[in-house]
Amino acid sequence: MEPFSREPDGGVLLEDAACDAFAAQILLPAHLVDQHLDAKGPTASAITLLWRTSNASRMAVCVRAAQHLPAPGHVLLLDPDGHLAFAASNGLPALLRGSFQGDILVIDRALTGPGRAQGRTQVRYRDGILGRELHTDTAPMDGYTVAVLVTDSVPWRAFTPPTADTGPRSRDYICANCDENYRSFEPACPRCHVPHCPECGSCACPPRTPGRCPGCFIVHPPAMFAPGSDRCLDCS
């Protein structure tokens, strides 16, 4: 239980991953997987066919497919609105379940079209940060869309050079305080959802004005109040 207790969420995501991996091994034995997933790696259509011919869940099939990726990448399961219902990653940072991916290239064409699309795209991480460009293949899965994304060696093409590893790209921001244009990978402010400006240190929250503490009845400057508290640091 120690590895679970060391996780920031108490082991919830780790437990989910262990259950999915166990289900994938039990419900999707090697001989069945080998019948549908080519040695070159899985395509989105092959993953859908494997799901239809097995008793496994969509999630378990995605986990098994991710184990057969020919290069670093993801196997994504998206709901009809474009939100990430499940993701199995291999060699790349994991994606947040529930995150919106419906407006990124290839995925948006799949959701608004017949469900099948191919091309290059970048998946979205926290605060709109985009990862490296990935080769992508999608297919419909009975109301959902499954997507295979890899850096290179894609199984649906005869030859694919590696995508440029340009690194993640953050969103652009304009500071409301000093008008500085900046990009930031820092966590966003929980109130205004904008990271702090590296020039002046401000986010998009309105500046705080001196206030009277209800504990000591003294008017203090904003620095004397903790975020979200109406009591000064001395009283709290």
Side-chain angles (χ1 to χ4, degrees), residues 96-133:
L96 181 64
R97 189 180 301 188
S99 61
F100 182 66
Q101 308 287 341
D103 59 347
I104 62 176
L105 296 176
V106 186
I107 300 297
D108 62 347
R109 285 193 282 117
L111 295 175
T112 57
R116 301 183 185 277
Q118 292 180 351
R120 295 184 180 187
T121 192
Q122 295 172 280
V123 289
R124 183 178 290 107
Y125 290 91
R126 172 184 54 80
D127 297 337
I129 295 172
L130 296 176
R132 64 176 295 180
E133 191 176 60

Side-chain angles (χ1 to χ4, degrees), residues 133-223:
E133 191 176 60
L134 301 171
H135 297 282
T136 308
D137 177 46
T138 71
M141 186 184 270
D142 194 17
Y144 288 81
T145 298
V146 63
V148 180
L149 305 94
V150 288
T151 57
D152 58 279
S153 304
V154 301
W156 55 88
R157 293 185 183 274
F159 172 74
T160 46
T163 56
D165 188 2
T166 57
R169 180 166 57 87
S170 68
R171 287 179 54 189
D172 293 314
Y173 299 94
I174 299 177
C175 179
N177 183 53
C178 66
D179 293 329
E180 175 76 11
N181 290 292
Y182 67 97
R183 288 182 176 181
S184 176
F185 291 99
E186 296 300 321
C189 170
R191 288 180 293 176
C192 66
H193 308 294
V194 173
H196 290 81
C197 171
E199 188 68 23
C200 68
S202 300
C203 58
C205 291
R208 296 186 61 178
T209 57
R212 184 181 299 275
C213 172
C216 61
F217 304 104
I218 299 176
V219 177
H220 292 286

